[in-house]
Structure formats: structure tokens, C-alpha cells
Amino acid sequence: MLLVGTDVEKDVRVYKRKIRAVGQMEIRSDLMDAHLYAFNRTTLQDVLEQKETYRSIRLEVLPYLVKSQLRSAPSGGEGTIVDETGNIVVPPSSNLQCLSQHRAIAPSAFKQDLLPSSGGGTHRCCVYIASKNKYCHRLNSIQAYCDINRDVIGEASHLSGYSFSSHNNIIHPSCVLGSKTTVGPQCMLAEGSQLGDKCGVKRSVIGRHCRIGSNVKIVNSVVMNHVVIEDGCHIQGSVICNNVQLQERAVLKDCQVFFFL
């Protein structure tokens, strides 16, 4: 059993029947729910039909399924499905293939001692815990988006597929830099982008085929693809989305700029 630290209070109450049902329990506070869930479609439809007042997958549906797997009900052991009368149900071949794929992704979730044959409900809920050499981040805010972009040119640089230069940054060979333009460490310039004279880029990501004029300063920002930034602009802590055009001498701080047709 895994409890996410951000979802529980200081005191956690664990009932004896849950300990008996699971047999082995691990409580951790260093995990983050990535909000990515995979359901059996039939099971999800059945739950939503029975619980018409449910409005949240994370706060209502998922806790209901987790609780149901600990209810007192017969189980046929590893990899089997048991109906309410105790009879073993043979799943169709498509479900067997799906089960085998789940077993390959998260083998620890299918250990016999986690859900013993003496107990357990009609549902099996599993969790995949990414190892330390994997990269996982919850993208649910502008700040998180900026953090992920910085990670790609920092701790998670292997995800970009590019190699860092001697200045600890990534500049695509097709980029054109003007005279006295500087690109600091932990920055990335994607293919086809052009910067004018006397520009400064610090801790930022610039996307593909951007056109940036002279005397432009970009700090702690993300500039997406096909953006035009004219002379003298100062951008700090902002996200500039695809196809945006900034007029000369524009000053942006902690902004998100979108392009609408």
C-alpha cells in the first residue's frame, strides 16, 4: 500500500483488516501522484453508472476502486479474475495480453504476496513507481512547464537528444548569432533560429525558427516555435507561445503570451 505524502495529514489511520488483506504494507512520503491513470473501460463505466454523483477521477473514482480491492471477497490467485459467487472467470485473450503488458511494465505489482489468494476484492489496483534514472513530472501549471523546460537543459538533458557545448548550453548548428550576442549556460536554441546583435540569453529555451532582433534580453523564459521578437525587447520569467510577434522595445515580466487566430 502506497500513500502519497501530499495527500495525507500528519496522522494516518490504518485499519487492521487492510493490513490482513494486503499482508505487506509500505508507507512512503517521497512520492508524487503524476495524475496519469489507466482504467479498464468496462470497470470505469460500471463505477460511473453506479456512482452518478462522482465528479473526480482522482478524489472519488480511484479511492473507491482501491477500497474495493481490499473488501472481503474470494480470489483465485495471481492473474485470475473471480466473480461474486467465487467462480473463476477466464478473461478474453485481449485482456490476457493487456495483463501481460502490465506485468512487464510494473512486475512488482503482480507479486503473489501483495494480494494473497485468501483475500482481496474484485478489482486489482496497481501503481507504477518510476526509478531514479527515469524522468517524471506533473505538468499542471505554467510554473511546472517552465521547470520542465529548464530540466531538459539541466538534470534531464538526455531527453533532448542534443549534446552540450563547451559552454554548457545547446545551440543547434543551423542557428545564427549576431555580433556580441551571448548565450549563457543551461540555455537551448533550436534549429533555424536567428538572434541579432548584442542579445543576451540566460537560463532560457528558444524554439525552432524564431527571429529575434538586436539588443534583446531573454531571462528565465521559454520562447516557443516561429516567434518574432523585434529590437530592444526585454523578456523575463515569461512563456511566449507559437507564432507570437512582439513589437520593438516590449518589456515582459512573468507573462504568458498566446497567439489567437
Side-chain angles (χ1 to χ4, degrees), residues 239-255:
V239 177
I240 312 300
C241 294
N242 293 335
N243 302 308
V244 165
Q245 181 172 353
L246 298 181
Q247 301 296 326
E248 62 181 34
R249 301 186 182 279
V251 177
L252 300 178
K253 183 177 181 180
D254 300 327
C255 296

Side-chain angles (χ1 to χ4, degrees), residues 206-225:
I206 297 178
R208 300 180 178 90
H209 305 292
C210 294
R211 300 293 181 267
I212 299 174
S214 300
N215 296 301
V216 173
K217 308 300 180 185
I218 301 175
V219 181
N220 288 330
S221 298
V222 177
V223 179
M224 296 188 185
N225 303 324

Side-chain angles (χ1 to χ4, degrees), residues 72-133:
S72 176
S75 174
E78 181 181 4
T80 60
I81 300 176
V82 181
D83 62 16
E84 296 180 352
T85 63
N87 297 321
I88 296 177
V89 178
V90 179
S93 58
S94 59
N95 287 352
L96 289 174
Q97 182 180 4
C98 182
L99 182 64
S100 65
Q101 293 173 348
H102 291 170
R103 188 189 304 273
I105 296 174
S108 61
F110 292 86
K111 290 182 180 179
Q112 179 69 20
D113 59 354
L114 293 182
L115 287 175
S117 58
S118 59
T122 56
H123 301 300
R124 169 165 288 191
C125 301
C126 305
V127 60
Y128 174 74
I129 302 178
S131 59
K132 292 184 178 180
N133 62 343

Side-chain angles (χ1 to χ4, degrees), residues 189-218:
L189 272 64
E191 54 264 37
S193 290
Q194 299 181 6
L195 281 74
D197 299 335
K198 298 180 181 180
C199 291
V201 181
K202 297 180 180 179
R203 298 182 300 279
S204 298
V205 176
I206 297 178
R208 300 180 178 90
H209 305 292
C210 294
R211 300 293 181 267
I212 299 174
S214 300
N215 296 301
V216 173
K217 308 300 180 185
I218 301 175

Side-chain angles (χ1 to χ4, degrees), residues 1-229:
M1 182 177 182
L2 299 170
L3 300 177
V4 180
T6 56
D7 294 338
V8 296
E9 298 178 355
K10 182 177 179 180
D11 298 326
V12 179
R13 177 177 296 181
V14 181
Y15 295 98
K16 291 182 178 180
R17 62 181 179 84
K18 292 186 178 181
I19 298 177
R20 287 194 296 266
V22 176
Q24 177 179 340
M25 182 174 294
E26 178 182 2
I27 299 178
R28 298 175 55 173
S29 60
D30 60 340
L31 301 177
M32 180 182 67
D33 183 0
H35 292 181
L36 179 62
Y37 311 117
F39 295 94
N40 177 288
R41 184 174 62 179
T42 302
T43 300
L44 182 59
Q45 289 176 338
D46 290 343
V47 171
L48 295 179
E49 289 175 358
Q50 296 173 18
K51 307 290 184 179
E52 296 182 353
T53 60
Y54 279 4
R55 294 294 181 267
S56 171
I57 291 289
R58 183 176 69 90
L59 299 178
E60 295 174 313
V61 175
L62 194 61
Y64 171 80
L65 291 174
V66 172
K67 290 179 181 178
S68 69
Q69 77 171 354
L70 299 177
R71 291 173 183 165
S72 176
S75 174
E78 181 181 4
T80 60
I81 300 176
V82 181
D83 62 16
E84 296 180 352
T85 63
N87 297 321
I88 296 177
V89 178
V90 179
S93 58
S94 59
N95 287 352
L96 289 174
Q97 182 180 4
C98 182
L99 182 64
S100 65
Q101 293 173 348
H102 291 170
R103 188 189 304 273
I105 296 174
S108 61
F110 292 86
K111 290 182 180 179
Q112 179 69 20
D113 59 354
L114 293 182
L115 287 175
S117 58
S118 59
T122 56
H123 301 300
R124 169 165 288 191
C125 301
C126 305
V127 60
Y128 174 74
I129 302 178
S131 59
K132 292 184 178 180
N133 62 343
K134 305 293 184 181
Y135 182 84
C136 184
H137 203 294
R138 184 192 299 166
L139 179 53
N140 60 350
S141 67
I142 296 296
Q143 182 60 50
Y145 177 78
C146 294
D147 292 341
I148 291 172
N149 276 272
R150 278 190 278 271
D151 286 346
V152 170
I153 52 177
E155 298 178 358
S157 58
H158 61 281
L159 298 175
S160 67
Y162 296 110
S163 299
F164 277 91
S165 69
S166 58
H167 301 288
N168 196 28
N169 55 28
I170 301 172
I171 300 178
H172 195 273
S174 63
C175 291
V176 178
L177 305 183
S179 174
K180 297 183 180 180
T181 287
T182 59
V183 179
Q186 294 190 339
C187 290
M188 178 176 177
L189 272 64
E191 54 264 37
S193 290
Q194 299 181 6
L195 281 74
D197 299 335
K198 298 180 181 180
C199 291
V201 181
K202 297 180 180 179
R203 298 182 300 279
S204 298
V205 176
I206 297 178
R208 300 180 178 90
H209 305 292
C210 294
R211 300 293 181 267
I212 299 174
S214 300
N215 296 301
V216 173
K217 308 300 180 185
I218 301 175
V219 181
N220 288 330
S221 298
V222 177
V223 179
M224 296 188 185
N225 303 324
H226 302 283
V227 172
V228 176
I229 301 176

